[in-house]
Amino acid sequence: TKFEYFPLQSTMYTELASLLLIDYADVLLENKKYQYAIVALEKVIDCLGQRQKSEQRFEIIRKLCITCTEKEDWKKAIKYHNETLRKLKDNYLNLNEFVYLSQQISTIHLKLNNFSQSERELQNGIRTIYRNALSVAKSSAQPDDLCTTLGIEEIFARCEGEERMAIGSLILALANLYISGGNYVNVAIRLLTFGKEQIFASKNAATRHVLILFQLARGHFKRARYDEAKAVIQDILKNHSAKNNKLLSSLEFVQLRVLVMIHCHPPQFARALQLLDQTMQDTVRKESFTKRAKLNYLKGRVLQARCFHKLIDKYHYEYDKHRKHLRSEARRLEEEEEEE
């Protein structure tokens, strides 16, 4: 029956009822009864709302954000993330939490293949922080201008300190969205270039500076600007150490380096294979099977690219040799005709 597993025939709005429902929800989650646990937590929200316990109610909503996201219940995850965002906007804007929530909602929409809404969430986040910094009802920048360098320059002319860093984090997420989706890659490159020079240039922002350079190299690679991508990677390796930044020892960074090496002119197949072998040795010590499998796949791509490159070189060699032979024969025939 309807209440066979969740026997609530009437609503109780006492503190004891709230505590019991929270414990009940935790037990249900431990026993993998997610749907019933969510019903229990939503009852807690109603109970705390009736008792006007706004802070405690907000904590349960945060718990629902995490739980629904972990269980990939995207519809409810978006609902409670948005409710948390509204709470932050109505009160003091905690910038770190606001940035995190904006990125989370954007990521969820992207998982649902809703690129436009994912983009809009990040743009709305930038606009909200901008308006909060100005303490006005609306900004002079139009929403559609917020993903261009002109709009960003206007924003940063009036923001400083924590607001700049918060907006910079959302710009980085927005640029990553554009590059990963293959849309507006040139806009992403302009945003990242601006961020590198104006936002994360200080020593205190070294980690984000490396991340923004990494995304910039990805953007250049997507646009087939291999020499520019190579220059950015060299800049990263020259000025930053892998000991101080996990990104530089990550598979994503190794993959980007290898792909740039085999696409630049001239291709650097030997260096790419050397990098993969060295990374493989480090990975074997850490016993990461998944990473080793991906490295072997990359090595296969490098060897395949080298074979194709040699075939192309051989084709051009034979083609040039054939053309020289034809020209030589043509000259010989012309000379014979002149003699006759």
Side-chain angles (χ1 to χ4, degrees), residues 43-103:
K43 288 289 184 181
V44 175
I45 291 175
D46 294 339
C47 182
L48 294 173
Q50 288 291 331
R51 295 173 54 224
Q52 298 182 352
K53 300 290 184 179
S54 58
E55 290 302 321
Q56 295 176 13
R57 182 177 180 274
F58 190 45
E59 289 301 318
I60 300 301
I61 291 174
R62 283 175 169 167
K63 183 181 179 71
L64 279 166
C65 286
I66 297 170
T67 304
C68 294
T69 302
E70 288 177 349
K71 299 300 181 180
E72 298 185 356
D73 185 351
W74 303 128
K75 186 176 179 179
K76 285 188 179 293
I78 290 172
K79 173 185 175 181
Y80 290 114
H81 274 91
N82 280 326
E83 194 164 339
T84 307
L85 272 183
R86 284 194 295 271
K87 171 74 173 178
L88 288 176
K89 291 177 183 178
D90 293 339
N91 297 277
Y92 172 74
L93 191 64
N94 184 320
L95 290 175
N96 290 333
E97 187 172 7
F98 180 81
V99 168
Y100 170 76
L101 288 169
S102 297
Q103 291 175 337

Side-chain angles (χ1 to χ4, degrees), residues 123-169:
Q123 292 180 351
N124 288 341
I126 294 172
R127 187 166 63 252
T128 298
I129 297 173
Y130 176 46
R131 290 173 175 175
N132 182 72
L134 295 179
S135 299
V136 294
K138 65 178 182 178
S139 72
S140 56
Q142 296 299 317
D144 293 339
D145 294 333
L146 288 171
C147 60
T148 66
T149 51
L150 290 176
I152 294 300
E153 287 171 357
E154 179 183 353
I155 287 172
F156 276 88
R158 302 187 181 186
C159 294
E160 58 184 17
E162 292 183 355
E163 283 80 11
R164 274 197 171 211
M165 296 297 289
I167 292 174
S169 297

Side-chain angles (χ1 to χ4, degrees), residues 119-339:
E119 174 192 33
R120 196 173 299 117
E121 292 294 341
L122 294 173
Q123 292 180 351
N124 288 341
I126 294 172
R127 187 166 63 252
T128 298
I129 297 173
Y130 176 46
R131 290 173 175 175
N132 182 72
L134 295 179
S135 299
V136 294
K138 65 178 182 178
S139 72
S140 56
Q142 296 299 317
D144 293 339
D145 294 333
L146 288 171
C147 60
T148 66
T149 51
L150 290 176
I152 294 300
E153 287 171 357
E154 179 183 353
I155 287 172
F156 276 88
R158 302 187 181 186
C159 294
E160 58 184 17
E162 292 183 355
E163 283 80 11
R164 274 197 171 211
M165 296 297 289
I167 292 174
S169 297
L170 291 177
I171 288 173
L172 186 56
L174 187 61
N176 181 49
L177 177 68
Y178 289 153
I179 293 170
S180 299
N183 300 319
Y184 314 117
V185 177
N186 286 333
V187 174
I189 290 173
R190 292 201 301 271
L191 288 173
L192 291 167
T193 303
F194 180 82
K196 179 186 71 171
E197 297 170 353
Q198 302 294 331
I199 310 170
F200 302 122
S202 67
K203 293 182 179 179
N204 296 330
T207 301
R208 292 186 182 181
H209 185 74
V210 171
L211 184 56
I212 215 166
L213 287 175
F214 170 69
Q215 298 294 358
L216 188 58
R218 284 185 64 218
H220 286 310
F221 181 80
K222 281 269 188 176
R223 300 301 297 170
R225 300 170 183 168
Y226 304 123
D227 290 335
E228 288 89 338
K230 180 181 175 182
V232 174
I233 291 174
Q234 289 175 341
D235 183 22
I236 295 173
L237 296 173
K238 180 181 178 182
N239 297 305
H240 301 278
S241 171
K243 294 181 181 179
N244 302 324
N245 196 298
K246 293 182 180 179
L247 175 64
L248 301 188
S249 58
S250 68
L251 179 61
E252 290 77 11
F253 187 61
V254 172
Q255 177 176 311
L256 180 62
R257 289 179 65 186
V258 167
L259 292 176
V260 170
M261 284 178 184
I262 65 177
H263 282 87
C264 67
H265 184 74
Q268 300 174 324
F269 298 114
R271 287 191 61 190
L273 291 171
Q274 183 181 8
L275 173 62
L276 288 170
D277 288 338
Q278 181 60 50
T279 307
M280 184 74 75
Q281 291 177 8
D282 296 337
T283 303
V284 167
R285 288 197 291 268
K286 297 177 183 177
E287 299 182 352
S288 174
F289 175 78
T290 303
K291 189 172 181 178
R292 290 202 305 273
K294 291 180 179 178
L295 288 169
N296 280 316
Y297 170 74
L298 269 177
K299 191 170 184 178
R301 287 192 63 179
V302 174
L303 293 172
Q304 183 186 51
R306 187 173 66 176
C307 288
F308 281 134
H309 185 75
K310 287 184 177 180
L311 286 173
I312 292 171
D313 284 346
K314 183 174 179 60
Y315 169 78
H316 285 306
Y317 172 77
E318 294 294 338
Y319 177 74
D320 290 340
K321 182 179 177 182
H322 183 63
R323 287 186 64 187
K324 288 178 181 179
H325 175 71
L326 290 176
R327 288 175 181 173
S328 176
E329 285 296 310
R331 283 195 299 269
R332 185 180 64 79
L333 291 173
E334 288 177 359
E335 290 173 358
E336 289 179 355
E337 287 179 358
E338 289 177 357
E339 290 177 359

